[in-house]
DNA sequence: ACAGGTCAAGGATAC
DNA sequence: GTATCCTTGACCTGT
């Protein structure tokens, strides 16, 4: 089992950089390159920090190449020598230490939108994430179901139809996560049955949004969805003020982590910790929970 | 140096 | 139909 955290490492001094469209228009592709190089150096620094703290799972920020999937972007960053040199270094490093790398396109990347232009931009965004993951040897791209659009069944059907149109490289990496208001774990399983998309189980979202189905039966489907793919990927966080508070707590409570372990039984999974205190929350779990096992 | 408003995105909701 | 909120962290402008 590998534990990981998302994007930001609070222990490191440098931050990720981004820019506004206006800045890109003023300064052109060179500013994007400058920021992308900076961001990739940050990723490498995070992986090095992770290795020295025994953290072998990491989610890369979606904004590594600022405006990387924007329709106005004119720079082929995936062919740039300096970018390739850095991504190669990252890939080599993560292979050496058997790390898992993932990305999570944002809430505005929607496979089931009824709007043609929104779908087009969403697919462009998936292509951006796919290209970057290919370069660094990342394996997982997590998205949510999307909106309900007044009819959940139609929205699910649209997801399945649009999923079929994606490139095989994207399909190899795409995973569908249950969310905390619209797509329950059982909705996500419905989509899996028609599309074979592996399911990323988020236990906090499940606590916020579930129609009282027994978790054991649902998890059977979750695990089956990964059978030919790899080690399942699971998310955990604690509610800020109560168990079904959608906001994330700074850390993960020990009891929440133990209750995840108990529903997972002995299944080998990689766990992404989604807590405000990022890598510090992972260290806390390692310290508190691992010594008990 | 710092505060606070802005950006980027699409959907949901209230009016 | 329109406005506002949701969410996020860094940008960016004004002081």
């Amino acid at each position: 089992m590998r534990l990981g955290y998302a994007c930001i490492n609070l222990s490191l001094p440098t931050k990720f950089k981004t820019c506004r469209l206006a800045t890109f228009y003023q300064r052109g592709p060179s500013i994007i390159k400058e920021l992308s190089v900076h961001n990739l150096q940050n990723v490498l620094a995070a992986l090095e920090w992770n290795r020295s703290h025994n953290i072998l799972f990491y989610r890369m920020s979606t904004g590594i190449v600022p405006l990387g999937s924007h329709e106005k972007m004119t720079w082929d960053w995936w062919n740039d020598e300096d970018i390739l040199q850095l991504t190669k270094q990252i890939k080599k490093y993560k292979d050496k230490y058997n790390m898992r790398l993932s990305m999570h396109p944002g809430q505005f990347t929607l496979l089931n939108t009824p709007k043609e232009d929104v779908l087009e931009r969403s697919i462009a965004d998936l292509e951006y994430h796919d290209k970057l993951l290919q370069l660094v040897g990342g394996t997982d791209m997590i998205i949510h179901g999307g909106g309900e659009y007044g009819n959940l069944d139609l929205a699910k059907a649209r997801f399945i139809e649009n999923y079929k149109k994606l490139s095989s490289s994207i399909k190899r990496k795409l995973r569908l996560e249950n969310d905390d208001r619209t797509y329950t774990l059982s909705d996500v399983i419905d989509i899996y049955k028609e599309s074979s998309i592996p399911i990323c189980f988020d236990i906090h979202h499940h606590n916020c949004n579930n129609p009282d189905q027994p978790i054991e039966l649902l998890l059977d489907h979750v695990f089956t969805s990964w059978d030919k793919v790899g080690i399942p990927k699971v998310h955990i966080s604690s509610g800020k003020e109560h168990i079904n508070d959608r906001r994330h707590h700074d850390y993960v409570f020990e009891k929440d982590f133990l209750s995840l372990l108990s529903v997972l039984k002995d299944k080998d999974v990689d766990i992404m910790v989604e807590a405000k205190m990022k890598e510090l929350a992972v260290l806390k779990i390692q310290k508190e929970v691992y010594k008990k096992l």
Side-chain angles (χ1 to χ4, degrees):
Chain A
M1 177 197 291
R2 289 171 288 195
L3 284 184
Y5 62 95
C7 311
I8 292 169
N9 181 307
L10 300 170
S11 306
L12 291 172
T14 54
K15 295 180 171 182
F16 288 105
K17 293 183 179 183
T18 183
C19 70
R20 298 284 183 271
L21 270 173
T23 308
F24 169 62
Y25 294 145
Q26 281 163 28
R27 300 186 51 183
S30 71
I31 183 62
I32 306 294
K33 172 160 175 172
E34 188 184 317
L35 300 174
S36 304
V37 166
H38 168 90
N39 291 339
L40 286 169
Q41 285 166 343
N42 258 18
V43 169
L44 195 54
L47 294 187
E48 286 165 352
W49 190 98
N50 291 351
R51 192 207 59 78
S52 68
H53 293 83
N54 215 11
I55 295 176
L56 301 178
F57 189 18
Y58 179 66
R59 178 193 298 167
M60 298 198 299
S61 163
T62 216
I64 286 171
V65 179
L67 305 168
S69 68
H70 200 280
E71 56 191 342
K72 294 281 163 43
M73 181 50 56
T74 50
W75 176 47
D76 292 350
W77 54 270
W78 58 92
N79 285 325
D80 183 277
E81 270 187 43
D82 296 311
I83 297 295
L84 290 176
Q85 194 260 329
L86 271 165
T87 52
K88 206 170 154 185
Q89 240 181 305
I90 291 168
K91 185 174 198 288
K92 204 174 151 191
Y93 196 84
K94 79 103 200 159
D95 283 340
K96 185 172 175 187
Y97 295 106
N98 189 32
M99 291 172 165
R100 183 172 188 169
L101 293 178
S102 68
M103 291 185 89
H104 193 344
Q107 60 182 308
F108 303 111
T109 302
L110 299 157
L111 254 195
N112 66 350
T113 174
K115 296 176 187 167
E116 199 66 39
D117 56 329
V118 175
L119 179 63
E120 217 171 276
R121 284 194 289 273
S122 295
I123 291 175
D125 197 47
L126 293 179
E127 281 165 355
Y128 154 73
H129 285 87
D130 180 42
K131 278 195 187 104
L132 192 49
L133 285 169
Q134 276 184 52
L135 293 180
V136 299
T139 47
D140 305 88
M141 192 171 4
I142 288 82
I143 59 166
H144 290 290
E148 186 171 348
Y149 310 96
N151 184 326
L152 194 58
D153 289 333
L154 287 179
K156 284 179 184 172
R158 231 173 10 248
F159 185 104
I160 293 157
E161 280 316 297
N162 291 332
Y163 178 83
K164 288 178 186 165
K165 298 177 198 161
L166 299 172
S167 74
S168 56
S169 181
I170 291 175
K171 277 192 274 198
R172 269 199 300 280
K173 299 181 187 69
L174 210 60
R175 289 85 177 84
L176 178 58
E177 178 188 349
N178 59 307
D179 68 69
D180 55 12
R181 44 172 91 224
T182 312
Y183 289 80
T184 64
L185 190 53
S186 121
D187 291 324
V188 159
I189 289 168
D190 290 342
I191 294 174
Y192 151 69
K193 285 177 179 167
E194 299 294 320
S195 67
S196 301
I197 185 170
I199 299 164
C200 176
F201 169 55
D202 186 310
I203 191 165
H204 182 208
H205 290 165
H206 182 71
N207 290 334
C208 297
N209 181 24
N210 74 78
D212 303 322
Q213 304 111 327
I215 186 73
E216 289 76 14
L217 292 175
L218 297 175
L219 283 183
D220 281 346
H221 291 291
V222 171
F223 295 146
T224 306
S225 77
W226 288 88
D227 270 353
K228 290 172 189 162
V229 181
I231 298 170
K233 179 185 182 305
V234 166
H235 289 179
I236 188 166
S237 47
S238 288
K240 192 177 173 124
E241 284 171 14
H242 43 88
I243 189 159
N244 53 3
D245 187 340
R246 295 205 308 268
R247 298 168 302 169
H248 290 184
H249 195 88
D250 285 351
Y251 293 93
V252 171
F253 294 122
E254 190 174 335
K255 64 173 167 51
D256 290 338
F257 192 81
L258 292 173
S259 96
L260 174 62
L261 292 186
S262 81
V263 297
L264 293 174
K265 307 235 167 53
D266 290 326
K267 185 75 182 174
D268 186 25
V269 298
D270 292 323
I271 302 179
M272 177 58 60
V273 174
E274 296 184 318
K276 297 282 181 200
M277 294 306 280
K278 303 292 179 181
E279 84 285 359
L280 301 177
V282 175
L283 296 186
K284 190 159 171 280
I285 292 170
Q286 287 178 341
K287 200 175 158 197
E288 296 177 345
V289 185
Y290 275 21
K291 67 181 177 189
K292 277 193 180 179
L293 300 177

